[in-house]
Amino acid sequence: MVSFLRKLRGEGIAKPEGKQTQKPDDDAGVVQLDVDVFQSKDEIVLYAPVPSSEIEMIDISIEGDNDVVTIRGKRERPVNLAYPKGEKEGEFFAKEIIWGEFFRQIILPEEVDIDKMEARLRNGILVLVLPLLKATHTDKVKVKIVSKEDE
């Protein structure tokens, strides 16, 4: 088991392959995926924009002690949307969209129940719902004190 502090330093968790950059180009390498992370008392919800990514292009895994989420995937430039009968001659004069592979690892503050997690892709947004793993005891646990005489 890897401690939370070691995970924060990047020890014991996967590393992305390829170079990391934010260069808006067709060959940008592996870029970091932007995420919003929301936590309630029952669950953690991750939101990530993955436009132009199909479900088959996204891989989500949980590792460590069920508290490290890894999201990998690829954004592909749509081909021939403007000209379905064939691409027109020309070249880009602005390239600001980052296409290509993305990777993100999020260290969660608590363990999640992997049997109940859900992932949805809606309107180019990946929504990952991660229910928190519930302890088997109630909020308050009475601890019995044993004296040496009871042994």
Side-chain angles (χ1 to χ4, degrees):
M1 173 166 42
V2 179
S3 74
F4 183 74
L5 289 175
R6 288 184 60 203
K7 288 178 188 172
L8 283 176
R9 288 190 294 250
E11 298 173 26
I13 54 179
K15 300 288 184 208
E17 296 175 15
K19 59 186 175 184
Q20 286 207 5
T21 179
Q22 286 293 332
K23 177 180 151 193
D25 197 347
D26 290 333
D27 186 25
V30 180
V31 298
Q32 179 172 293
L33 178 66
D34 295 327
V35 296
D36 286 344
V37 182
F38 170 81
Q39 181 176 357
S40 70
K41 64 179 181 113
D42 300 320
E43 64 191 9
I44 295 172
V45 182
L46 280 84
Y47 300 91
V50 290
S52 194
S53 293
E54 299 295 328
I55 293 173
E56 305 82 38
M57 303 165 90
I58 302 171
D59 178 58
I60 304 168
S61 61
I62 307 283
E63 52 190 285
D65 295 316
N66 297 343
D67 61 355
V68 178
V69 176
T70 302
I71 303 170
R72 299 176 189 268
K74 187 174 185 178
R75 294 182 195 128
E76 290 185 346
R77 182 188 312 276
V79 180
N80 296 333
L81 284 180
Y83 305 104
K85 294 182 181 174
E87 195 66 40
K88 286 204 170 192
E89 292 282 325
E91 62 185 53
F92 285 96
F93 66 88
K95 288 177 97 175
E96 298 176 354
I97 300 173
I98 299 172
W99 304 102
E101 294 181 44
F102 56 82
F103 175 90
R104 184 65 184 264
Q105 234 172 11
I106 300 101
I107 299 172
L108 304 172
E110 296 183 50
E111 288 186 55
V112 296
D113 189 342
I114 58 173
D115 295 326
K116 296 180 182 174
M117 64 183 184
E118 296 178 16
R120 298 180 210 114
L121 187 58
R122 290 193 181 142
N123 299 326
I125 303 294
L126 175 67
V127 179
L128 184 59
V129 180
L130 304 163
L132 295 175
L133 194 61
K134 300 291 182 195
T136 55
H137 56 77
T138 60
D139 290 339
K140 185 175 181 180
V141 177
K142 180 76 173 159
V143 178
K144 181 181 175 188
I145 301 172
V146 180
S147 70
K148 290 222 178 228
E149 297 170 2
D150 292 340
E151 292 182 355

